[in-house]
Amino acid sequence: MPSDWAQGPALSETINKCLTKHLEQLKAPVGTLSEALGNLHLDSSPEESDVVPGSTRGATLLTGTCHWKCVCYGIGNFSTCVTARHQLTFLLLFLEKCQIPRSHCWVYDPLFSQLEIEVLNTLGVIVLCENEEGKRSVCGECTIFYMLHCGSALYNNLLWSNWSADALSKMVIIGNSFRGLEERLLTRILQKNYTYIAKILKGLEEHEFPQTSQYADVFNDTSVHWFPVQKLHQLSAHTWAFREEPDYRGCEDLEIIRNKTEDPSATDSSSL
């Protein structure tokens, strides 16, 4: 797996810059997030910064200092899909480079087979048992959401579940380009079906993933998104006052699998 990371220095540099800017806008105190991000080493070669998961060095850096958590949605059937395997490989390398323990990473896809769940458990990440439809609150903790090629409703639900300047400023989303979605959809469709994506466009920063021919199908249309406090505070009071839960009735091409075990109108308040 380290060889895959070594082939994408531009990609690691992009993520490193985005996370650094995210830290700066949070104005984190020295010794907490700043210390953790100072040890990312995303722009170094694997030999210089590899840390074996669970090793003493990683535990020392993270205990009591690193508050980053990671949630991964929609990675797909990696047992049968090469693209999904690449995405999973990148996730594991990303956790390693960021020195986020795998036990601080939650993963879910409604398509996972029992075998894939067992593999993920063996790898040390936490497999969620319930389809949250992306409705997960960060609960005041800095969280990276890794959501490559997910349906637009999943991003919209995530934004709704964290619809405040405080919560959004603690999030980083690695996933489909919001700007690209704005370009592809008619304005009225975007505002009607994906209200929260439409409303947050003026309150985010977005950096496109660098593209390589080798991984064109893996990271196409992918960007790193974060939400600077200054931009969020410039949004109108009316923008924040609207908090209705998304309702996708009549929405074509929803591209997510709904949770049919609960009342669709119920709010999922589970937290990490």
Side-chain angles (χ1 to χ4, degrees):
M1 288 191 298
S3 61
D4 287 343
W5 186 276
Q7 292 171 0
L11 179 59
S12 62
E13 182 180 354
T14 296
I15 296 176
N16 192 26
K17 287 181 179 179
C18 291
L19 291 179
T20 300
K21 288 184 178 180
H22 180 268
L23 167 66
E24 290 172 351
Q25 66 94 24
L26 283 176
K27 298 181 180 179
V30 174
T32 55
L33 286 176
S34 57
E35 180 180 344
L37 288 176
N39 289 284
L40 289 180
H41 304 300
L42 284 177
D43 55 351
S44 61
S45 66
E47 291 76 13
E48 293 173 329
S49 58
D50 274 355
V51 179
V52 177
S55 66
T56 302
R57 176 170 176 259
T60 301
L61 285 171
L62 288 161
T63 302
T65 60
C66 181
H67 301 288
W68 283 107
K69 295 185 176 182
C70 183
V71 178
C72 171
Y73 290 131
I75 206 165
N77 294 119
F78 55 87
S79 63
T80 57
C81 177
V82 174
T83 296
R85 282 199 293 275
H86 283 311
Q87 292 175 357
L88 175 59
T89 299
F90 180 85
L91 172 64
L92 297 175
L93 289 168
F94 177 76
L95 295 174
E96 182 177 317
K97 292 296 179 180
C98 290
Q99 301 206 6
I100 301 174
R102 292 182 182 181
S103 60
H104 289 189
C105 178
W106 286 257
V107 182
Y108 184 80
D109 193 307
L111 299 179
F112 281 155
S113 66
Q114 185 58 42
L115 174 61
E116 288 168 332
I117 291 174
E118 292 173 1
V119 169
L120 291 168
N121 286 332
T122 301
L123 289 172
V125 298
I126 300 174
V127 182
L128 295 168
C129 299
E130 181 180 345
N131 183 358
E132 302 174 332
E133 298 182 4
K135 300 173 183 177
R136 177 170 283 265
S137 170
V138 299
C139 294
E141 299 186 274
C142 293
T143 307
I144 300 169
F145 289 89
Y146 183 77
M147 307 167 59
L148 305 188
H149 303 164
C150 287
S152 300
L154 211 62
Y155 302 102
N156 196 55
N157 288 349
L158 178 62
L159 293 172
W160 168 74
S161 297
N162 296 278
W163 197 244
S164 71
D166 180 67
L168 290 174
S169 67
K170 292 179 171 64
M171 290 172 49
V172 172
I173 300 176
I174 302 176
N176 296 359
S177 168
F178 286 9
R179 301 297 183 191
L181 183 65
E182 180 185 25
E183 293 173 359
R184 290 191 299 272
L185 291 182
L186 294 173
T187 300
R188 61 179 180 84
I189 298 297
L190 181 64
Q191 293 177 344
K192 176 184 176 182
N193 294 339
Y194 309 113
T195 306
Y196 293 93
I197 295 178
K199 287 152 64 78
I200 204 59
L201 289 172
K202 293 182 179 180
L204 62 78
E205 291 284 345
E206 176 176 328
H207 275 248
E208 180 182 358
F209 262 37
Q211 295 300 308
T212 62
S213 57
Q214 184 176 2
Y215 300 110
D217 294 336
V218 182
F219 300 115
N220 62 301
D221 192 39
T222 299
S223 293
V224 183
H225 310 77
W226 75 99
F227 310 91
V229 172
Q230 296 85 348
K231 284 195 172 187
L232 295 175
H233 286 169
Q234 291 173 5
L235 299 179
S236 68
H238 175 73
T239 297
W240 298 113
F242 183 88
R243 293 174 177 265
E244 292 183 11
E245 182 171 3
D247 181 355
Y248 302 105
R249 285 178 292 185
C251 177
E252 299 180 359
D253 302 322
L254 192 56
E255 296 182 335
I256 68 168
I257 298 176
R258 307 298 295 271
N259 183 354
K260 299 180 180 179
T261 62
E262 294 184 354
D263 180 354
S265 64
T267 301
D268 185 347
S269 59
S270 61
S271 62
L272 298 181

